[in-house]
Amino acid sequence: MKILVTGAAGFIGFHTCQRLLAHGHEVVGLDNINDYYEVGLKFARLNELGIAQESASIFNTISTSTKHGAAFKFIKLGLEDRENLPVLFQNETFDVVCNLGAQAGVRYSIENPETYIDSNVVGFLNILECCRHHQIKHLVYASSSSVYGLNSKIPFETSDPVDQPISLYAASKKANELMAHTYSHLYGFATTGLRFFTVYGPWGRPDMALFLFTEAIVQNKPIKVFNHGDMERDFTYVDDIVEGVIRIIEKDTVERIKSSNAYKMYNIGNNNSVKLTDFIEEIETNLGKKAIKEMLPMQAGDVAKTWANVDDLIKDYGYAPKTSIKEGIQKFVDWYRGYYGVGGQ
């Protein structure tokens, strides 16, 4: 298949491109390479895919991978670009679109609301319109566990009400789900939304807890522990997440559309909840150093506990997350030390 992956220079998008290429698919990666976090990390991910920074920096120009040849191409482009995005769809004739590109971060959305509407709402509408007008068979897109908002029922299920978002980021992701449902209903192409739970692993985002904690401990700086440590998260290793995404992309959707199931929504997580304090202890073990903890109250827009019920994904796709926190954190710390040249204990 020929697949467009938006957010290709991002954490999950990069890993998804790698796995799709390993499975023999033809991939076009798209990213606007914004400066929400260190752009050098984004260019380094692209370099792993065979796209040099010099060529990746040129707006609206297709670059071909030096590692994968014509099987992987990259274009720097924003989702909100209503003029050039349809041209890309017209020229490349994709079979499937995997939309992982979005403005990420719950806390950042409180300070920069306009950015989220531009990327996550306007940009998503442009993706839907391109899918509609260019005969895309299937749109797989990233939603978020943040849509559950003030939901206190554990574990979270896709049948739970999600009408109480507590951040604009969450509201933008819920808007995506509603928009996808509308387009599947009106135009008959398959859309599959994935509510990602806390994803971690090598090449991860610098604004996420694992990266922040590791960096601070290495530099002998305090880590910020919100809600005084009384937090739990469904931490999910990136390889397990990507395995689920690939299974969904590769499964034919013809029967789904025939049976009026064009729109689908799934949780994708580790099917387990881990205490933040246990998560920190595992990082300390791998670094051989104790963290200096700054205990803080709950942040605005945050929740105390997340836990994904992934029974539907197991039933429909044989999804089976298998990476333990112990194994996953060790792999991240090994990558972090290698990437930043940090020595052992």
Side-chain angles (χ1 to χ4, degrees), residues 19 26 43-44 84 95 105 123 129 145 152-153 162 170 177 186 221 239 252 254 261 302 325 328 342 345:
R19 189 77 65 88
E26 186 179 350
F43 284 122
N84 290 304
D95 297 303
E129 278 289 285
S145 61
S152 58
K153 177 178 156 291
V162 287
E177 296 177 6
L186 289 175
K221 295 179 179 178
D239 286 357
D252 192 87
V254 172
N261 285 321
D302 220 342
I325 288 294
V342 177
Q345 297 180 14

Side-chain angles (χ1 to χ4, degrees), residues 79-80 82 116-127:
L79 297 179
E80 61 272 29
R82 193 168 289 159
Y116 287 77
I117 299 304
D118 291 343
S119 178
N120 299 8
V121 179
V122 174
F124 192 69
L125 173 64
N126 292 341
I127 287 287

Side-chain angles (χ1 to χ4, degrees), residues 145-317:
S145 61
S146 67
V147 301
Y148 289 104
L150 295 174
N151 180 38
S152 58
K153 177 178 156 291
I154 298 291
F156 297 163
E157 301 184 47
T158 53
S159 57
D160 293 340
V162 287
D163 53 2
Q164 294 181 311
I166 56 174
S167 70
L168 188 65
Y169 172 71
S172 74
K173 288 299 186 179
K174 179 55 186 172
N176 289 174
E177 296 177 6
L178 294 169
M179 294 160 72
H181 183 279
T182 302
Y183 271 70
S184 280
H185 173 75
L186 289 175
Y187 306 114
F189 64 89
T191 62
T192 303
L194 294 169
R195 291 174 179 168
F196 289 116
F197 283 66
T198 311
V199 188
Y200 73 99
W203 297 98
R205 277 173 29 207
D207 63 319
M208 298 291 283
L210 176 54
F211 204 114
L212 289 170
F213 291 166
T214 301
E215 184 175 58
I217 294 169
V218 165
Q219 296 176 3
N220 298 309
K221 295 179 179 178
I223 64 172
K224 294 180 178 180
V225 183
F226 293 105
N227 204 33
H228 304 284
D230 187 17
M231 304 269 277
E232 294 185 39
R233 288 288 181 271
D234 192 324
F235 292 105
T236 314
Y237 190 66
V238 65
D239 286 357
D240 292 333
I241 287 282
V242 170
E243 176 65 25
V245 173
I246 301 301
R247 287 182 181 220
I248 291 165
I249 288 173
E250 292 182 337
K251 188 169 182 177
D252 192 87
T253 57
V254 172
E255 291 305 315
R256 250 178 67 178
I257 294 170
K258 282 182 180 177
S259 58
S260 300
N261 285 321
Y263 170 86
K264 283 280 193 177
M265 177 59 56
Y266 295 96
N267 285 334
I268 184 164
N270 199 42
N271 209 21
N272 190 22
S273 200
V274 174
K275 291 180 180 179
L276 181 60
T277 51
D278 293 342
F279 192 73
I280 293 169
E281 283 179 12
E282 200 60 52
I283 302 170
E284 291 172 327
T285 298
N286 277 275
L287 290 174
K289 293 178 72 174
K290 284 291 183 181
I292 305 165
K293 301 182 182 73
E294 182 183 354
M295 305 306 255
L296 297 168
M298 181 75 85
Q299 281 266 296
D302 220 342
V303 296
K305 183 173 182 175
T306 65
W307 182 349
N309 180 320
V310 296
D311 289 350
D312 289 344
L313 206 56
I314 292 169
K315 176 172 64 73
D316 292 350
Y317 293 95

